[in-house]
Amino acid sequence: MSQAAADSADELARENDELRLRLQEAEELIHAIRTGAVDALAVQGPEGPRIFTLEGADQGYRTLIEQMNEGALLLGPDGTLLYCNAALAGLLGVALQDIIGGNFQDFVPKGFRRYWATLMGNGWKGKSKGEMPLRTKAGTLLPFSLSMNVLAFHETPVLAVIVTNLSAQREIRHIQALVDEQNVLITRKNEELRAQESARQMMEQAAAEATRVLEGIPQIAWTASPSGRLTYLNRRWFDYTGSTSEVPLHEQWQEHLHPDDRAAVSLRWKKCRRSGQAFDIEYRFRNHAGDYRWMLGRGLPSRNEQGEIVQWVGTNTDIHEHKLALARIDQAQRQLQDNNQQLTRANVDLDNFIYTASHDLKAPISNIEGLLQALLVELPPAGRSGEVQPIIDMMQGSVERFKRTIEHLTEVTKLQKENDQPASIIELKTVVEEVLLDLEPLIAETEARLDVNVATCPALSFAEKNMRSVVYNLLSNALKYRHPERVPHVQLRCHEADEYLVLEVQDNGLGLDVQHEHKLFAMFQRFHAHVEGSGIGLYMVKKIVENAGGRIEVQSVLGEGTTFSVFFRR
């Protein structure tokens, strides 16, 4: 019994010592809390109030947390703030002693409390992270990023939360966006500057190349601004005028331009600048010797990509000799017109004279012929002895020749008047057939053989009456000037040669001496006197064909035959 009592007394003594020790520790803790050496928080739990402390051993970590810019806090399972640093209190605008022990949900806006509960629930399960606004003491909502993790604190699990203010980051992002935007603008501007510099260099190169080209051409070259003021004159200008570059270009231009041309040039130049049309004019400039020479001025507008005129580029070409030649040609043409008018009047006078002469001579020659016939009646054949009959024969021959001459003159007059016959589309085959009908008695008399091959000839624009005259004269000559020792053989054929339709008439008659071809087509020329003729047939053919833009050629061998080739222009 005594032993048991003794054991009980010892146990009580030990418990008493433990209690005394714990009491001493509590007193030391309370003293440390009071002096600020230890942060502590009393939390009411199911077993009564519990005190949580951050002991001096954690002083280094505490100092680090207190110096952080981010907010740091520890939460209990029900969201009670067990600890927070001064940064969080400052962000929320609350005193440190007023925030510890409260519920963190008081700072969460009502609209985000469900999200906060979900975020905190995920944090107790492990780790969680999210963004949401918190309400400060002043009622302002600030954006925050919350990172959560479960830690063991005095063997009790707590939820550690790091709270980061996103306002500064968003401002930084905004500033960074502005910086990026400015960088893009700067980059674009730099690219534009580089492009402009490259374009400037290319323009300088192009301008230098253009200058080399303008300096190398034989004409006077010039450039002008859109307003029309001269900006450049090549070396040819200074060589031509003898001017120096010290005198303004515009003054040089006006000084050497002929006074009589200035008004027209100014008007034309203004009109071209307004309309953008090419500048083209003839004017005179004084050279270094003081002589004015004609120039052909031409200028074109040079435009940019927008179609705006940036400058004018032009040349002055010396056309003085050409201008003088044109003046001489113009003078010669006027002289030719005067001569043609004189010839026309002379032809009219000649036609009138021929008509008048042939008309006036017909009556006297008819009277002479009548008197000669009366003389023959009064003078019987027995009384025509000696030289009487030869004289009478000579008088009759003279009268006949005179009559034929008058008829020929009349025919020539008709030919001159018929040159202006209207042209029409005719078939050569039809014209030849009609002419052969007219010559049928002569063909029968001479027993001539004709080979006609004109059926395939194309239609031709020609005066039908003149074509009949050409065909009739050539065919009748081929029959009249036949060889006495052989049957006449006449061939008609046609073919095309370039822009001509060629009609050929070939015979086997007497032939001609081609050495006298220039006389063949002359008026009143005859190579065979034993055959009746007027000597104007071939003259008329040649005249008709040449008046229509064609020509006639002849090939002949004396004693063998002749070929006439008539070229009709199609």
Side-chain angles (χ1 to χ4, degrees):
M1 211 39 206
S2 60
Q3 184 63 39
D7 292 338
S8 179
D10 291 339
E11 186 177 351
L12 289 173
R14 285 196 300 275
E15 291 180 356
N16 189 31
D17 291 338
E18 290 178 1
L19 290 172
R20 186 181 296 109
L21 181 60
R22 291 173 62 184
L23 178 60
Q24 184 179 356
E25 290 176 353
E27 289 177 351
E28 291 176 357
L29 177 59
I30 292 171
H31 178 73
I33 291 172
R34 286 176 178 174
T35 59
V38 176
D39 287 334
L41 175 64
V43 179
Q44 186 66 33
E47 298 177 355
R50 296 184 62 187
I51 296 176
F52 294 89
T53 65
L54 184 61
E55 298 178 358
D58 301 321
Q59 186 65 31
Y61 297 102
R62 177 185 174 191
T63 303
L64 177 62
I65 291 172
E66 288 295 334
Q67 292 180 353
M68 289 172 55
N69 291 326
E70 290 82 0
L73 58 110
L74 298 177
L75 296 178
D78 58 354
T80 302
L81 273 158
L82 303 178
Y83 167 81
C84 80
N85 64 355
L88 179 60
L91 291 172
L92 298 176
V94 183
L96 190 59
Q97 61 271 17
D98 294 336
I99 193 173
I100 296 178
N103 197 304
F104 187 75
Q105 184 172 293
D106 295 340
F107 299 98
V108 178
K110 291 182 179 181
F112 286 87
R113 287 183 179 178
R114 179 177 297 179
Y115 175 73
W116 161 248
T118 302
L119 196 63
M120 188 173 63
N122 292 334
W124 281 108
K125 294 177 182 179
K127 293 182 179 181
S128 181
K129 189 175 183 181
E131 293 183 1
M132 59 180 289
L134 296 178
R135 190 181 303 277
T136 66
K137 183 179 180 180
T140 306
L141 295 179
L142 296 177
F144 289 93
S145 173
L146 288 80
S147 297
M148 305 178 187
N149 194 13
V150 177
L151 300 177
F153 189 70
H154 287 287
E155 300 178 357
T156 301
V158 294
L159 187 62
V161 183
I162 300 297
V163 181
T164 303
N165 187 358
L166 298 179
S167 299
Q169 293 184 6
R170 291 186 178 180
E171 184 66 23
I172 291 173
R173 285 198 294 269
H174 177 67
I175 295 173
Q176 184 62 42
L178 292 177
V179 172
D180 292 341
E181 183 178 351
Q182 290 296 323
N183 288 338
V184 170
L185 292 176
I186 292 173
T187 301
R188 187 180 299 121
K189 192 64 177 178
N190 289 335
E191 291 176 353
E192 291 177 357
L193 291 175
R194 286 193 294 269
Q196 291 176 0
E197 178 63 20
S198 177
R200 185 187 63 79
Q201 293 178 356
M202 292 178 63
M203 290 180 62
E204 290 180 352
Q205 293 176 358
E209 183 63 25
T211 301
R212 286 194 294 271
V213 172
L214 294 178
E215 289 293 340
I217 63 176
Q219 293 89 356
I220 293 173
W222 51 266
T223 61
S225 65
S227 63
R229 195 161 191 86
L230 283 174
T231 56
Y232 166 79
L233 286 168
N234 70 348
R235 176 52 52 187
R236 298 294 182 274
W237 167 265
F238 299 101
D239 294 342
Y240 176 81
T241 62
S243 302
T244 61
S245 57
E246 287 78 11
V247 181
L249 302 181
H250 184 72
E251 293 182 8
Q252 295 186 38
W253 186 277
Q254 291 297 322
E255 178 185 354
H256 289 83
L257 180 62
H258 197 287
D260 294 343
D261 298 337
R262 290 173 184 171
V265 171
S266 178
L267 182 63
R268 177 64 178 168
W269 183 225
K270 290 179 180 178
K271 182 179 179 181
C272 291
R273 293 203 317 272
R274 285 196 301 266
S275 63
Q277 296 178 346
F279 177 71
D280 194 331
I281 196 170
E282 294 180 359
Y283 40 25
R284 290 163 290 181
F285 283 92
R286 190 179 70 248
N287 60 16
H288 59 84
D291 300 324
Y292 284 97
R293 294 184 64 85
W294 281 99
M295 298 279 182
L296 173 61
R298 286 177 174 171
L300 293 175
S302 177
R303 303 177 185 270
N304 58 17
E305 296 178 353
Q306 290 73 35
E308 301 170 340
I309 297 177
V310 295
Q311 71 171 351
W312 287 80
V313 180
T315 59
N316 285 357
T317 304
D318 192 323
I319 59 168
H320 193 73
E321 301 302 330
H322 176 69
K323 195 79 173 178
L324 295 179
L326 289 179
R328 290 192 293 268
I329 292 174
D330 185 63
Q331 182 180 2
Q333 289 178 341
R334 288 197 300 269
Q335 184 65 39
L336 181 61
Q337 290 176 354
D338 294 340
N339 293 340
N340 287 338
Q341 292 176 357
Q342 292 178 4
L343 289 174
T344 301
R345 289 193 297 267
N347 286 333
V348 172
D349 294 341
L350 181 60
D351 291 342
N352 292 333
F353 170 76
I354 293 175
Y355 176 80
T356 302
S358 60
H359 182 272
D360 293 345
L361 290 176
K362 281 182 180 179
I365 201 64
S366 297
N367 293 335
I368 294 175
E369 186 178 17
L371 293 173
L372 183 59
Q373 292 297 326
L375 179 62
L376 291 176
V377 172
E378 293 296 330
L379 187 64
R384 303 174 190 174
S385 60
E387 296 181 358
V388 175
Q389 187 61 43
I391 292 174
I392 292 176
D393 292 340
M394 291 175 59
M395 291 175 64
Q396 287 180 328
S398 297
V399 169
E400 292 297 328
R401 288 194 298 274
F402 201 86
K403 288 172 62 178
R404 284 197 301 270
T405 301
I406 293 175
E407 291 175 357
H408 296 163
L409 289 175
T410 304
E411 290 180 4
V412 171
T413 304
K414 289 181 180 179
L415 175 63
Q416 297 284 35
K417 292 181 178 180
E418 292 175 354
N419 280 337
D420 297 330
Q421 290 289 321
S424 61
I425 303 300
I426 61 173
E427 296 287 344
L428 188 60
K429 174 177 176 294
T430 303
V431 175
V432 171
E433 290 175 351
E434 293 176 354
V435 171
L436 290 178
L437 289 175
D438 295 339
L439 293 174
E440 188 172 355
L442 184 58
I443 296 174
E445 177 187 347
T446 59
E447 299 180 351
R449 181 165 62 92
L450 274 74
D451 294 336
V452 180
N453 186 16
V454 295
T456 59
C457 290
L460 183 67
S461 177
F462 205 83
E464 183 177 0
K465 186 176 181 180
N466 290 343
M467 179 63 76
R468 286 176 55 84
S469 179
V470 171
V471 175
Y472 184 90
N473 274 283
L474 293 178
L475 282 178
S476 62
N477 283 349
L479 295 173
K480 287 192 297 182
Y481 295 99
R482 60 188 178 275
H483 200 285
E485 298 178 359
R486 51 181 174 260
V487 176
H489 182 202
V490 181
Q491 301 178 59
L492 271 79
R493 55 182 177 267
C494 70
H495 65 274
E496 298 180 61
D498 298 330
E499 70 272 23
Y500 294 99
L501 176 66
V502 183
L503 173 65
E504 292 183 352
V505 179
Q506 181 178 358
D507 63 54
N508 63 343
L510 297 173
L512 302 168
D513 186 357
V514 293
Q515 293 182 355
H516 302 93
E517 181 180 352
H518 62 286
K519 296 182 180 180
L520 179 62
F521 298 101
M523 189 182 301
F524 305 126
Q525 291 292 329
R526 303 180 63 209
F527 286 82
H528 302 286
H530 68 281
V531 179
E532 292 186 1
S534 62
I536 64 170
L538 291 179
Y539 166 79
M540 294 174 61
V541 170
K542 185 173 185 295
K543 194 73 172 178
I544 291 172
V545 173
E546 289 181 348
N547 286 342
R551 68 180 189 275
I552 184 170
E553 297 178 356
V554 61
Q555 293 179 344
S556 183
V557 177
L558 190 62
E560 294 184 6
T562 305
T563 301
F564 287 94
S565 300
V566 184
F567 291 77
F568 298 99
R569 185 178 294 275
R570 291 186 291 178

